[in-house]
Amino acid sequence: MIEHKPEMAIDNGSAAIFAGWPPPAILTLAAKPPIGPRFLKMDSIYNPCLAKAGAGMNKDFTMSRRCELTLKGPQVGHKVSHSNHKTKRRFLPNLVNVTFLSDALGRGVRMRVCTNAVKSVDHRGGFDAYLIKAKESELSQKAVLLKRAIQKKTPEAEAAPVSVVEAAPAA
């Protein structure tokens, strides 16, 4: 029986390829645990923004059909024909690309949001006011970072509002 030696593998000059086979393990990467309710505490080690997300929701919305401000996403329902035959369909949110102007940051911020969020931002008094009032668990990762930057620029926004009471004239 002939013993196979990697140095003498093939005569056509490919001995250098087989010389160190199998290759030594150079990198051993720790596998990231799957995202889910059971692994939420473990996943928050890798990404602290996910610690407040509900049911382990991944907050990276780069290509998803999800609003970055209200977290509205696709819903599932039925398409009902004239004969009342029901087939599954998806109801997608009405997403638009909008540039919001931030007074605190002094620049425009491009976001992909639903039209309902545009109305909500206008109703609450602007982009900065909307982000300051919103909970971090209801925002995307990008919006949370913008909220923190706005809070650093405007510390008086976090202070409790002081009510001014006018004194009645003494009679």
Side-chain angles (χ1 to χ4, degrees), residues 3 8 13 16 24 45 65 71 93 95 128 146 148 151 153:
E3 186 177 316
M8 300 171 24
I45 296 170
R65 293 186 174 107
L71 295 185
L95 295 176
D128 298 339
L146 287 169
R148 291 177 185 165
Q151 285 177 340
K153 297 273 184 172

Side-chain angles (χ1 to χ4, degrees), residues 114-125:
C114 61
T115 53
N116 189 349
V118 175
K119 290 170 66 176
S120 298
V121 167
D122 189 36
H123 177 74
R124 284 199 186 170

Side-chain angles (χ1 to χ4, degrees), residues 80-85:
V80 182
S81 68
H82 179 68
S83 63
N84 205 21
H85 180 72

Side-chain angles (χ1 to χ4, degrees), residues 5 22 49 55 59 62 90 101 115 121 124-125 156 164 168-169:
K5 293 187 179 180
C49 291
K59 299 185 96 176
T62 51
R90 294 178 77 198
L101 297 177
T115 53
V121 167
R124 284 199 186 170
E156 66 274 357
V164 178

Side-chain angles (χ1 to χ4, degrees), residues 73-119:
Q75 294 180 334
V76 178
H78 288 109
K79 179 172 68 172
V80 182
S81 68
H82 179 68
S83 63
N84 205 21
H85 180 72
K86 296 173 181 68
T87 55
K88 288 275 192 171
R89 63 158 289 184
R90 294 178 77 198
F91 291 93
L92 300 177
N94 187 10
L95 295 176
V96 290
N97 294 318
V98 180
T99 303
F100 291 110
L101 297 177
S102 173
D103 297 330
L105 300 177
R107 63 183 177 94
V109 179
R110 287 181 53 97
M111 299 190 89
R112 187 168 163 88
V113 297
C114 61
T115 53
N116 189 349
V118 175
K119 290 170 66 176

Side-chain angles (χ1 to χ4, degrees), residues 146-165:
L146 287 169
K147 176 180 178 168
R148 291 177 185 165
I150 289 170
Q151 285 177 340
K152 283 181 185 177
K153 297 273 184 172
T154 58
E156 66 274 357
E158 296 177 1
V162 178
S163 60
V164 178
V165 178

